[in-house]
Each structure stands twice: as C-alpha cells, then as structure tokens.
C-alpha cells in the first residue's frame, strides 16, 4: 500500500513539473498577428547629459520614468522584470474563448490578453518624454526609442528609450503687473515673495502653475472668492539670449468683473435636518454667525453648534473659513451630510460687496451596533482572531459626545516561538470596555490648545480577563480620564490626569508558582495591586520633501499623589488601599522614526527607542505589565519575544517558564528597514535590528542583568532578515524571517557572531501592520 502511495505521489509531482515545463516551453505568441510584436518590457532607459557636469533634476527623471511605465504581461517589477510563468498568455494562446463548463470558467479567470507594442505606442511615449523635458526648461533635449527583438522569438520585443539632456533654460528676468490697484498690488507682492518666480530659476511650467495657484489661494482668503489661477498668465521670450527666458506676468483677458472684487461675508444660514426627514422648523439667532434653522424634534446643543461655525457676518470672506467649518462639523461625527454653498458668481450684481453662505447639515442615525471579526497583532508578538460586539451612541447629549460599549473575546498565540516550543503559550481573553468621548477639552484653561483641530476629553471603564492555561488566570479592572489636544498641527498631546488599574491573579499553575518562588523580584511585580497613574504622551509628526519624521515621548508616574496623601494622614510603612498595596514608580520611553523616500515606492525607515523605569517608595519592583521586554514581530525579529535579556542573563533551558524573567527596567533598541515594491499589493523588506533590556539594579537571581556601560555593546542582540508584506493601505499583513547574528548571552561559540547553528539562529513572525 505504501509503495502504491509513493508511486502516486511521484506521478503527481511529475505531472505538476510537466505542466510547469509545458507552460514555459509552449509558445505565448502563436495568436499574435504577423505585423504585431509582444511587448516584454523596457530593456533600458538611457538618460545621458551632453555636459558631464549637468545632472537631471530628480523630479523630472521621475516624470520620465512614469511616462514609460507600461506593465508587460506577467510583470514582476514594472516595466523591467517579468516572472517566468506566463499562465495568462498561455491560456490566451492555447485555449478557446468559447469553452464551456469548468474549462470556460478557468479561461475567464486565468486569461490575459497580450500587451502589444502597438498598444504601448513607444512613439507616443517619446512625445510624452519630450513634453516633460520642454515643460521643465530642457528645450534642446530630445528622446528616441528602439525596438530590441528577442533572438529566440522574433514576435517578442523590448523597448530601449534614449534621452539626451542638454542644459536647461533659466529665467533671466521677471516682470510684474505694477498697475497700482489693490488687487494687482497683492498679486505683485505675492509673486515677489515666491521662491521660484525669480531670475536664475530653471524654467518649469509646473512651478509657474504652482506660483499662480498659490497666489489665487491667498487672494481667495483675502476676500477675492471668485478669483481663479487661470486669471494669471505668463509671457515668455526665449529669443533675447540662448538658454535664457525673459518672463512677464499679466492678467488674462475676459476676467469676470466680480472676480476682481473683494467681498465680505453676508447672510449666514445654517439648516439642520433630521435623519428621518420632515420636522418642525425652529429659527435660532446666532448673532454674528447668522441664523440656524432646526427641524425639530432633534437633539442638538445650539451653543456647541455655534462654536463650530467660523464665519462672521461683515468679516472678510475667506475660503479658509469654509474649510474649517466643514472640517469642524465633520469631526463631530453626528452628520451624514454637510454642504456649504456660496452665492453663485452669475447672481453677483455690480453694486454688491457681500456673499451669502448657506450651510445644510443632515443628522446621522445616532445609535449603531457593530459586529467585528478581527485579526490582532500585538507588540509582544501575539497574533490571533478576535470578535467584538459593540453598540455606540454618536450624539449622547447633543454635542457630538460618543458613548461606546464593547465586548471583546480573543484567542492568541505567539509567533517566532523558539523559546516556547512544546509548551502551551496560547492565551484566551475576554474584555468589556465603556468609553465616553466628548469632542471638547474639559480641562483647565492654561493648557495650550488649538481650536483649529479636534480636541477630546475621554472617560473610560474596563474589565479584562486573561487566561494563559499553562501559567495563570488574571483579572484587571481600570478607570481613567484622558485629555487629548493639538498644540499645533504637527503636535498631538495626551494627558491622563487619572488612571487607576487593579490587577489580581485568580489562580496559577504549579509551574508558574515555582518560577515565582525562584525569583522573588518577578513575583513582586505580579502581586495583586492597584496602579494609580498620571501619564503624558507627546507625538510630533511631520512630513517634508517626501520624508516623514515621527517623535514620541511617554512619561508615567504612579502612586506619588496617593503616597503623599497617605503620608499626610500619618501612614508609615507599606501603604494600602482597601487592604491592597498600590504601586509607586516612574517610567519614561521615547522613540524617533525617520522615513526616507529613496525612489518611488522605495523607503528607508530607521527607528531608535530608549526607555527606563524605576520603582521606589511603596514598591520595590515595577509592575510586570510596565516592565520592558524585547524580541518578537515588532522588535528584534531574529529572536522570539522575551527570549533575550536582561543583559547577558539567560534562564535555565530546562525551565519552560524562564521567559518570565526576561524583562527589565531599561531598554534600548535600534532598527533599520529598507522597503521596496515587488508586484501588485506585495512589497518586500530587508532589515537589521539591535537592542536589549537591562536591570537598573542588581538581582542575584538574574546574574549579568544589570546595565553596565562597559558591557553595553557586547550585550546588544543583533539580527537581520527579510520580509514580505501584503499591503492594501487599509490592511497590511506581513511575514518576517529574522536571522540572529549575535546573542548577548553565552552560546558556547566564541567570537562576535556567536550563534551555534543555523537552526537556532532564525525566527519567523506573522503580524498585522508595519513594525514602526
């Protein structure tokens, strides 16, 4: 019987191999007409500069690359590389489109029509390149193409594009309107201040268009609402001197008179419609913000609604007020539709200097229920499915207050689990959460905040049951108050003036108890306790020139206020609340992420993270949940989570619970990742990670765990690896394979690259989202 099964298996593999070889060997051009050629991609893009010192502008080079980027069949990296399995072409050439049944169904799913040279239109691509060059001042430059037919199949051809670049023309002089009226003076002033519209700049139509768009936008925020960029024209003279262009700015002919006038805000009318329709109109006077017509009955706080309107009757009309009002009303989350209309241009009379504003809002249904199936991925390398049942009220008190009540159940397991092989490290979790989010900052006035952005006050209650069958069952309750606000557009602040968490171990296993008995320091961090915290988080996020910089700072103090109150009341020794001690510690963590664009679709991302925590007063150990760990899908990916540290310490290999010891009170981590496209939604990454955790004080049960600067570099774990991501923007699923180069502990092998074997040097992780 086994011999027969083996024979069948071999035949199956031979069949598969034959099918693959058949696809590779069979013609994929048999149905292509004699006067056509199959396009197999771009062989080369040759860009040469006649002057060796000349370098083509990077943005222009990108536009040229875009002009020739036509995907061939079975594209791997468009337009240069193809994968060797042209299944769609093979089906097109060898199957009939009239097939029925299963073969017909497969034909429709697999068929791929050939991309022909005639469809690519290389002559048109050359014209596009020449247009790009002309529009960017490279007037004496030229492009051409040549077909490179395959030596094996004369019906296949690649395209080589040749671009010869000459010195670009530069602006030699600029002219302005200089007529003396208010509008022309404003245009001249804005043009003179622009960094591009200057003598010596390279001629570029895109840049010139950007100048007039910028001028028009500023004017529309100064009351010239009907002014448009096309009302500004340029005259260019390149005949005065070769390589030089004399520029002059002018107003276009036939501009509507209304577009040349400045307007104030006239009558403001805001209409609020019920989501059910109909209703009884009720007019409310909002003073300088006009009138509001409510179609009652509906729940709406008139004062808060008025605060969302940035228009003022009699004030200069600004497009910015439209944008801010639209954004402010949208962030309330209580409207299904918001329309802002301004008096049309054709109804403006010659003697009118105001424009009316009509704001029409339709309320959304306030209560919604949700059922969400989730795939979760956590920073500790746990991944697994989850289910959330929830209900939300999006307008509880009429001012956009959001009440959420969710019940979540989840099952998780760890990835990269070298340290947990053969051991049940899965977990089951059930949680209840209620959150009330108020779209206003109910905080002291001295907190600097921007009214241009949405600020929040959030109240929360939670209960969570975590069950790790082989170790423990823990329950956690929490309550908190959060203030979230923007000090400016790049800075987000979050202050938690009060958060109280209570943790309690309901039961534990004998193995877990043995581990705790062998390590009293870790046992103290797991004790039943209250954690009263004050926390501040700051995020600075800014994009510039295709790059992005993100800085995060987290500060936590726990127990100081409570300890002070207890001391004032005369309490000495260990302080307790309801018979349970509360924690007292401080914690800081900061990170910097720099995301640099190397070329279109290619990014180089670097991160550095430092954190420290210290317990004192009422606590001798930082709570286990607040300690640092390292390794896993979002950290040092060559190692499983909690498989390294603290320092050079390594638990006894015979202790399956040893990973509990592998936390610390100081953390350093550095990562570098190169991200690149592969094809379609698939992207790849090459990475290198380094880092570890340490103890800030000695622990006799974890020798080598204390931070010592002389050992710092040797105790940094180092790993490299590669990954693949399925990136649909809204969802990113990634798989990373990390390979360890250096372990901070003794491995039995000398030298810096001390991993004993390949089998013990890699870890595999599956996660959701990017690691940083």
């Amino acid at each position: 019987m086994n011999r027969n099964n083996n024979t069948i298996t071999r035949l199956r593999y031979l069949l598969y191999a034959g099918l693959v070889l058949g696809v590779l060997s069979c013609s994929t051009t048999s149905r292509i007409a004699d006067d056509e050629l199959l396009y197999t991609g771009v062989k080369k893009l040759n860009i040469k500069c006649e002057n060796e010192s000349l370098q083509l502008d990077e943005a222009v080079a990108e536009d040229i690359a875009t002009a020739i980027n036509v995907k061939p069949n079975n594209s791997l990296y468009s337009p240069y590389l193809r994968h060797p399995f042209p299944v769609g072409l093979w089906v097109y050439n060898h199957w009939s489109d009239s097939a029925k049944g299963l073969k017909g169904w497969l034909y429709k799913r697999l068929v791929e029509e050939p991309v022909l040279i005639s469809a690519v239109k290389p002559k048109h691509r050359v014209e596009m390149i020449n247009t790009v060059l002309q529009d960017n001042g490279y007037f004496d430059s030229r492009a051409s193409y040549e077909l490179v037919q395959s030596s094996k199949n004369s019906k296949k051809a690649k395209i080589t594009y040749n671009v010869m670049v000459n010195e670009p023309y530069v602006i030699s002089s600029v002219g302005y309107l200089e007529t003396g009226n208010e509008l022309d003076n404003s245009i001249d002033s804005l043009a003179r201040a622009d960094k591009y519209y200057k003598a010596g700049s390279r001629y570029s139509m895109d840049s010139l268009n950007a100048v007039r768009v910028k001028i028009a936008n500023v004017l529309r925020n100064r009351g010239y609402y009907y002014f448009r960029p096309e009302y500004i024209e340029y005259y260019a003279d390149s005949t005065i001197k070769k390589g030089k262009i004399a520029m002059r700015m002018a107003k276009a002919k036939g501009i509507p008179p209304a577009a040349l006038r400045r307007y104030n805000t006239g009558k403001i009318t805001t209409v609020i419609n019920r989501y059910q329709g109909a209703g009884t109109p009720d007019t409310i006077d909002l003073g300088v913000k006009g009138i509001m017509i409510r179609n009652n009955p509906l729940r709406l706080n008139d004062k808060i609604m008025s605060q969302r309107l940035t228009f003022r009757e009699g004030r200069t009309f600004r497009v910015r007020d439209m944008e801010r009002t639209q954004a402010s009303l949208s962030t309330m989350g209580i409207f299904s539709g918001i329309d802002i209309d301004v008096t049309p241009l054709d109804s403006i009379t010659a003697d009118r200097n105001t424009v009316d504003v009509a704001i029409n809002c339709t309320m959304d249904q306030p209560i919604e229920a949700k059922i969400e199936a989730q795939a979760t991925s956590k920073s500790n390398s746990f991944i697994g499915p989850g289910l959330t049942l929830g209900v939300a009220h999006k307008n509880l008190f009429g001012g956009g207050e959001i009440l959420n009540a969710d019940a979540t159940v989840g099952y998780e397991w760890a990835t990269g689990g070298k340290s947990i092989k053969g051991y049940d490290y899965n977990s089951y979790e059930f949680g209840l959460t209620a959150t009330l989010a108020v779209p206003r900052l109910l905080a002291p006035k001295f907190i600097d905040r921007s009214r241009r952005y949405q600020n929040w006050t959030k109240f929360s209650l939670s209960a969570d049951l975590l069950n790790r069958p082989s170790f423990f069952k823990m329950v956690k309750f929490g309550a908190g108050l959060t203030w979230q606000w923007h000090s400016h557009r790049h800075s987000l602040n979050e202050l938690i003036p009060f958060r109280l968490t209570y943790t309690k171990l309901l039961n534990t296993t004998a193995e877990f108890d043995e581990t705790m008995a062998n390590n009293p320091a870790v046992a103290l961090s797991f004790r039943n306790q209250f954690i009263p915290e004050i926390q501040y988080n700051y995020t600075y996020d800014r994009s510039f020139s295709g790059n992005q910089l993100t800085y995060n700072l987290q500060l936590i103090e726990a127990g100081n206020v409570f300890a002070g109150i207890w001391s004032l009341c005369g309490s000495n020794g260990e302080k307790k609340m309801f018979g349970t001690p509360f924690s007292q510690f401080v914690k800081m963590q900061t990170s910097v992420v720099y995301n640099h664009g190397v070329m279109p679709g290619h990014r180089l991302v670097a991160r550095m993270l430092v954190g420290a925590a210290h317990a004192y007063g009422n606590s001798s150990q930082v709570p286990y949940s607040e300690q640092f760990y390292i390794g896993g899908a979002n950290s040092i990916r060559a190692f499983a989570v909690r498989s390294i540290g603290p320092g050079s310490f390594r638990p006894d290999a015979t202790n399956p619970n040893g990973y509990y010891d592998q936390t610390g009170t100081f953390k350093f981590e550095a990562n570098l990742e190169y991200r690149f496209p592969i094809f379609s939604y698939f992207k790849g990454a090459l990475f290198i990670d380094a880092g570890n955790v340490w103890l800030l004080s000695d622990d006799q049960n974890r020798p080598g765990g204390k931070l010592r600067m002389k050992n710092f570099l040797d105790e940094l774990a180092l790993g490299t690896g590669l990954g693949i991501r399925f990136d649909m923007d809204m969802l990113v699923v990634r798989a990373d394979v990390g390979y360890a180069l250096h372990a901070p502990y003794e491995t039995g092998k000398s030298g810096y690259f001390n991993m004993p074997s390949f089998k013990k040097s890699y870890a595999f992780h599956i996660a959701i989202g990017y690691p940083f």
Side-chain angles (χ1 to χ4, degrees):
M1 180 68 71
N2 289 337
R3 185 178 302 161
N4 290 336
N5 288 338
N6 290 337
T7 302
I8 293 172
T9 300
R10 292 191 188 99
L11 289 174
R12 184 183 294 120
Y13 286 144
L14 287 172
L15 179 62
Y16 290 158
L19 180 61
V20 171
L21 290 174
V23 171
L24 292 176
S25 62
C26 290
S27 171
T28 54
T29 58
S30 58
R31 288 183 59 187
I32 295 178
D34 292 338
D35 59 344
E36 291 281 9
L37 291 172
L38 178 69
Y39 167 69
T40 56
V42 173
K43 183 175 181 62
K44 197 171 184 181
L45 171 61
N46 296 313
I47 300 179
K48 295 183 179 179
C49 299
E50 290 189 359
N51 187 341
E52 292 183 359
S53 62
L54 176 63
Q55 187 172 359
L56 183 64
D57 183 85
E58 184 178 336
V60 179
E62 289 181 7
D63 289 342
I64 292 174
T66 300
I68 68 168
N69 189 6
V70 180
K71 286 185 177 182
N73 295 104
N74 50 292
S75 173
L76 181 63
Y77 179 58
S78 179
Y80 299 101
L81 296 177
R82 304 166 67 215
H83 61 77
F85 305 104
V87 177
L89 277 178
W90 184 86
V91 170
Y92 175 85
N93 282 276
H94 297 280
W95 287 11
S96 171
D97 57 3
S98 61
K100 304 294 183 181
L102 178 61
K103 189 172 182 179
W105 182 85
L106 287 172
Y107 178 87
K108 293 178 182 178
R109 297 300 184 277
L110 299 176
V111 69
E112 186 177 350
E113 292 192 11
V115 179
L116 304 176
I117 291 290
S118 60
V120 176
K121 300 179 180 178
K123 184 177 180 180
H124 175 64
R125 302 289 155 189
V126 167
E127 292 173 355
M128 292 172 63
I129 295 173
N130 285 328
T131 299
V132 169
L133 293 169
Q134 298 292 315
D135 287 347
N136 286 279
Y138 298 93
F139 292 110
D140 296 330
S141 304
R142 59 196 177 276
S144 62
Y145 78 94
E146 56 182 301
L147 297 179
V148 183
Q149 288 182 269
S150 170
S151 59
K152 297 180 180 179
N153 188 336
S154 60
K155 285 189 176 183
K156 294 181 179 180
K158 289 181 177 288
I159 304 175
T160 292
Y161 293 94
N162 300 301
V163 183
M164 182 59 70
V165 181
N166 212 330
E167 291 284 349
Y169 278 56
V170 297
I171 298 174
S172 60
S173 62
V174 294
Y176 303 95
L177 304 182
E178 297 181 344
T179 61
N181 65 57
E182 182 183 7
L183 175 60
D184 290 1
N185 286 342
S186 295
I187 293 175
D188 285 352
S189 176
L190 293 168
R192 292 177 192 276
D194 191 88
K195 65 181 181 180
Y196 176 75
Y197 193 64
K198 293 277 190 297
S201 298
R202 175 175 56 82
Y203 176 86
S204 169
M205 277 302 300
D206 287 343
S207 298
L208 288 170
N209 286 332
V211 171
R212 63 181 190 172
V213 168
K214 188 185 300 182
I215 291 174
N217 288 340
V218 173
L219 292 176
R220 282 162 59 81
N221 280 310
R222 293 181 180 177
Y224 297 94
Y225 173 68
Y226 301 105
F227 196 88
R228 298 292 181 266
E230 55 267 27
Y231 296 161
I232 298 176
E233 294 181 342
Y234 298 104
Y235 293 96
D237 188 347
S238 60
T239 63
I240 301 175
K241 186 177 180 181
K242 184 174 177 58
K244 305 291 183 181
I245 296 181
M247 298 292 305
R248 182 169 63 86
M249 183 180 287
K251 285 190 299 189
K253 295 180 180 179
I255 302 176
L260 304 176
R261 292 166 53 197
R262 189 173 184 174
Y263 294 92
N264 292 328
T265 304
K267 185 167 62 174
I268 306 169
T269 304
T270 304
V271 179
I272 312 296
N273 300 301
R274 304 169 69 232
Y275 75 90
Q276 306 98 323
T280 304
D282 180 21
T283 301
I284 301 166
D285 186 359
L286 301 179
V288 295
K289 297 187 179 182
I291 61 172
M292 181 170 67
I293 301 174
R294 298 164 37 121
N295 286 293
N296 290 328
L298 55 78
R299 179 175 292 180
L300 186 67
N301 188 310
D302 299 337
K303 182 179 178 180
I304 292 174
M305 186 67 189
S306 176
Q307 292 172 353
R308 300 282 173 163
L309 307 179
T310 58
F311 294 105
R312 302 287 189 279
E313 289 184 358
R315 193 170 70 178
T316 299
F317 184 84
R318 301 180 300 180
V319 173
R320 188 182 300 115
D321 288 329
M322 294 181 63
E323 296 168 349
R324 289 178 180 173
T325 297
Q326 179 88 37
S328 185
L329 292 173
S330 296
T331 54
M332 292 182 71
I334 64 175
F335 299 114
S336 61
I338 303 169
D339 295 313
I340 302 179
D341 297 317
V342 180
T343 306
L345 177 62
D346 56 12
S347 65
I348 293 291
T349 58
D351 60 344
R352 183 173 182 178
N353 66 347
T354 61
V355 291
D356 296 336
V357 180
I359 306 170
N360 197 290
C361 303
T362 301
M363 300 292 293
D364 196 4
Q365 189 167 352
I367 299 178
E368 63 181 18
K370 65 179 180 182
I371 301 177
E372 295 181 355
Q374 304 167 342
T376 60
S377 176
K378 296 183 178 180
S379 61
N380 60 1
S381 287
F382 271 81
I383 187 171
L387 181 68
T388 297
L389 305 176
V391 63
H393 195 302
K394 297 182 291 184
N395 190 30
L396 188 62
F397 304 120
E401 300 84 3
I402 302 172
L403 176 64
N404 277 300
D406 295 329
T408 302
V409 60
Y411 171 75
E412 300 171 344
W413 63 88
T415 68
K418 295 184 299 184
S419 63
I420 58 172
K421 186 176 181 181
Y423 211 75
D424 187 359
Y425 194 32
N426 300 336
S427 70
Y428 311 86
E429 188 170 5
F430 177 75
L432 296 172
T433 304
T435 304
L436 174 63
V438 180
R440 296 174 292 285
L441 199 61
L442 307 178
K445 298 294 183 182
F446 63 77
I447 293 181
D448 183 26
R449 69 199 77 176
S450 173
R451 295 186 182 275
R452 296 182 182 180
Y453 308 99
Q454 183 63 67
N455 303 314
W456 292 92
T457 301
K458 299 178 181 180
F459 305 89
S460 62
L461 292 171
S462 64
D464 192 74
L465 175 65
L466 177 63
N467 182 22
R468 291 188 178 164
S470 296
F471 308 118
F472 61 82
K473 183 184 291 185
M474 175 185 287
V475 67
K476 180 168 67 174
F477 300 97
L481 165 66
T482 302
W483 294 324
Q484 190 180 82
W485 76 97
H486 286 84
S487 48
H488 57 78
R489 62 176 179 170
H490 301 300
S491 296
L492 175 64
N493 302 268
E494 185 178 74
L495 176 62
I496 304 174
F498 171 78
R499 180 167 63 194
L500 183 62
T501 304
Y502 174 69
T503 61
K504 180 179 178 62
L505 283 171
L506 297 180
N507 56 60
T508 59
T509 64
E511 293 88 348
F512 181 81
D513 292 339
E514 183 180 354
T515 298
M516 297 301 102
N518 294 333
N519 198 327
V522 176
L524 282 172
S525 68
F526 265 99
R527 67 177 180 173
N528 300 336
Q529 59 191 309
F530 285 99
I531 308 175
E533 291 181 356
I534 297 175
Q535 180 174 332
Y536 173 71
N537 301 314
Y538 172 77
T539 301
Y540 179 85
D541 194 347
R542 185 167 187 175
S543 299
F544 51 93
S545 303
N547 304 318
Q548 186 173 12
L549 176 68
T550 304
Y551 171 74
N552 287 288
L553 172 66
Q554 181 187 73
L555 299 173
I556 301 175
E557 78 81 23
N560 287 336
V561 174
F562 280 50
I565 295 174
W566 263 245
S567 297
L568 290 174
C569 295
S571 176
N572 296 314
E574 186 179 50
K575 302 172 179 63
K576 296 183 178 181
M577 183 165 55
F578 305 115
T580 301
F582 57 83
S583 293
Q584 192 172 358
F585 66 91
V586 292
K587 180 181 178 181
M588 180 277 295
Q589 181 171 291
T590 184
S591 67
V592 178
V593 178
Y594 181 65
N595 190 319
H596 175 68
V598 179
M599 62 181 77
H602 295 249
R603 315 290 301 182
L604 187 64
V605 188
R607 175 179 70 168
M608 187 171 71
L609 182 150
V610 179
H614 175 62
Y616 59 97
N618 209 45
S619 299
S620 59
Q621 294 293 327
V622 177
Y624 190 80
S625 60
E626 298 291 345
Q627 293 186 25
F628 300 106
Y629 55 86
I630 207 159
N634 299 319
S635 183
I636 315 298
R637 284 161 281 186
F639 297 87
V641 63
R642 291 190 178 95
S643 64
I644 47 177
S648 60
F649 169 74
R650 192 182 191 190
D652 189 340
T654 62
N655 181 7
N657 295 330
Y659 74 92
Y660 277 112
D661 298 346
Q662 299 192 263
T663 60
T665 50
F666 184 86
K667 179 178 182 178
F668 175 83
E669 184 177 335
N671 314 83
L672 185 65
E673 181 168 291
Y674 180 67
R675 300 170 183 170
F676 54 89
I678 300 177
F679 65 92
S680 185
Y681 293 116
F682 290 92
K683 298 180 180 179
L686 299 173
F687 56 83
I688 184 167
D689 306 316
N692 204 343
V693 294
W694 291 265
L695 302 173
L696 292 178
S697 57
D698 278 317
D699 183 349
Q700 62 180 3
N701 293 306
R702 289 183 281 179
K706 186 177 180 181
L707 176 65
R708 291 180 172 86
M709 294 310 299
K710 65 178 182 179
N711 300 329
F712 182 78
L713 293 179
D714 286 337
E715 291 178 354
L716 285 176
L718 180 68
T720 187
L722 54 87
I724 187 169
R725 289 90 167 86
F726 182 72
D727 185 351
M728 297 179 62
D729 291 333
M730 58 182 288
L731 174 66
V732 177
V733 180
R734 62 184 169 92
D736 290 325
V737 177
Y739 182 78
L741 300 175
H742 173 73
Y745 47 78
E746 179 61 42
T747 64
K749 185 177 180 180
S750 61
Y752 182 78
F753 299 100
N754 61 351
M755 298 306 297
S757 66
F758 176 81
K759 183 179 180 181
K760 297 181 179 180
S761 301
Y762 74 92
F764 176 71
H765 304 280
I766 296 176
I768 297 170
Y770 284 102
F772 45 84

